[in-house]
């Protein structure tokens, strides 16, 4: 089973680390493309979660990187500091398994 990797604020990354995920705190959203490029090369990662607050400032640049990404699956999650909509976990899991 592959790993989950979280890129985001200190609070969110720390919480995911408590349940066994790996992660990096990102201060500058413009660091994201470099992190994602490195993580895409790792065979052990199946899911990359990016918090919405660091995704939004460079949304256009990141969308071109993650648009057709199959593995690892890259998805945006709400952070405690962002406005959020409910996440369809079933849809996210099905997509990660290649059925969505």
């Amino acid at each position: 089973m592959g790993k989950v990797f979280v890129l985001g604020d200190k609070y969110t990354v720390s919480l995911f680390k408590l349940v066994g995920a790996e992660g990096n705190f990102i201060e500058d959203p413009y660091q994201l493309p470099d992190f994602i490029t490195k993580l895409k090369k790792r065979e052990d990662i199946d899911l990359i979660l990016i918090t919405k607050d660091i995704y939004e400032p460079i949304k256009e640049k990141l969308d071109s990187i993650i648009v057709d990404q199959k593995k690892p699956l890259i998805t945006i999650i709400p952070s405690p500091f962002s406005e959020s909509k409910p996440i369809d976990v079933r849809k996210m899991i099905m997509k990660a398994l290649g059925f969505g």
Side-chain angles (χ1 to χ4, degrees):
M1 185 170 190
K3 295 180 182 179
V4 175
F5 200 97
V6 183
L7 297 168
D9 60 89
K10 286 181 184 178
Y11 181 76
T12 304
V13 171
S14 297
L15 287 176
F16 273 90
K17 282 184 174 183
L18 286 174
V19 294
E22 290 184 47
N24 272 38
F25 164 61
I26 305 292
E27 285 186 48
D28 179 9
Y30 293 95
Q31 296 174 327
L32 270 177
D34 293 334
F35 270 100
I36 291 171
T37 302
K38 289 177 189 174
L39 293 174
K40 284 169 46 173
K41 294 176 183 175
R42 287 184 51 183
E43 292 291 322
D44 62 331
I45 296 176
D46 283 339
L47 178 62
I48 298 173
L49 303 174
I50 302 171
T51 57
K52 187 176 180 179
D53 57 320
I54 64 165
Y55 164 77
E56 288 294 329
I58 59 167
K59 180 179 183 174
E60 291 78 25
K61 189 171 186 176
L62 286 180
D63 284 347
S64 66
I65 295 172
I66 65 176
V67 67
D68 290 323
Q69 184 68 28
K70 300 280 187 227
K71 183 177 181 208
L73 176 66
I74 300 171
T75 192
I76 311 306
I77 61 171
S79 73
F81 314 108
S82 63
E83 212 172 286
S84 64
K85 297 178 191 173
I87 297 174
D88 186 347
V89 176
R90 184 173 186 266
K91 183 177 176 182
M92 186 170 53
I93 291 171
M94 294 301 284
K95 187 173 179 181
L97 295 173
F99 297 108

